[in-house]
Amino acid sequence: VVQLVESGGGLVQPGGSLTLSCTASRFTYTRKCMAWFRQAPGKPRERVAGIVPTNFESGYAASVKGRFTISLDNAKNTVYLQMNNLVPEDTGMYYCAAADSRTWRIRDTYCDYPGYWGQGTQVTVSS
């Protein structure tokens, strides 16, 4: 079974930066996409960024575009989320997600419908 393990969450002041990491293991089928989601209390989970492992094409939610950057190190099987200029609205549980050729939905470029999830890491933006 695919495993995704996140790290790097914590408490940060508004305007600060934080980098999340997610290391993936046990992929048997070809990775099709990887992504970061977040969920704030009382709100639905939303995808904030996704990336394609073969060409590193990436896509972002409007709320984070220009502030967050997703990147992927294929050699380390690790996906990162660099978060800059954080605001309190960025507070939430952040989840790493992925899809492989067995779980991937056609045309789901940035993993809106992933097949695998990490356990999540908490990010709190507060002064």
Side-chain angles (χ1 to χ4, degrees):
V1 177
V2 171
Q3 289 189 336
L4 303 172
V5 179
E6 303 101 331
S7 62
L11 174 64
V12 62
Q13 291 188 341
S17 298
L18 206 59
T19 300
L20 306 182
S21 301
C22 169
T23 299
S25 62
R26 302 185 184 177
F27 272 106
T28 301
Y29 297 88
T30 303
R31 290 176 304 157
K32 299 296 285 186
C33 56
M34 299 191 74
W36 287 96
F37 285 70
R38 70 182 178 192
Q39 187 166 23
K43 292 188 176 181
R45 191 175 296 189
E46 63 168 340
R47 179 183 59 74
V48 295
I51 191 165
V52 181
T54 53
N55 61 12
F56 303 103
E57 181 181 334
S58 58
Y60 298 90
S63 58
V64 305
K65 205 165 187 178
R67 300 188 298 120
F68 289 13
T69 302
I70 188 171
S71 60
L72 177 62
D73 186 334
N74 279 324
K76 296 181 179 179
N77 256 339
T78 299
V79 61
Y80 304 93
L81 186 67
Q82 173 69 43
M83 304 183 292
N84 298 326
N85 195 21
L86 285 160
V87 298
E89 291 73 26
D90 293 320
T91 295
M93 187 68 78
Y94 282 69
Y95 297 92
C96 179
D100 60 18
S101 54
R102 187 179 67 89
T103 63
W104 184 66
R105 296 191 188 187
I106 294 175
R107 290 188 292 275
D108 184 19
T109 302
Y110 300 126
C111 264
D112 285 314
Y113 305 98
Y116 308 103
W117 295 90
Q119 81 288 353
T121 185
Q122 178 67 36
V123 172
T124 302
V125 184
S126 175
S127 54

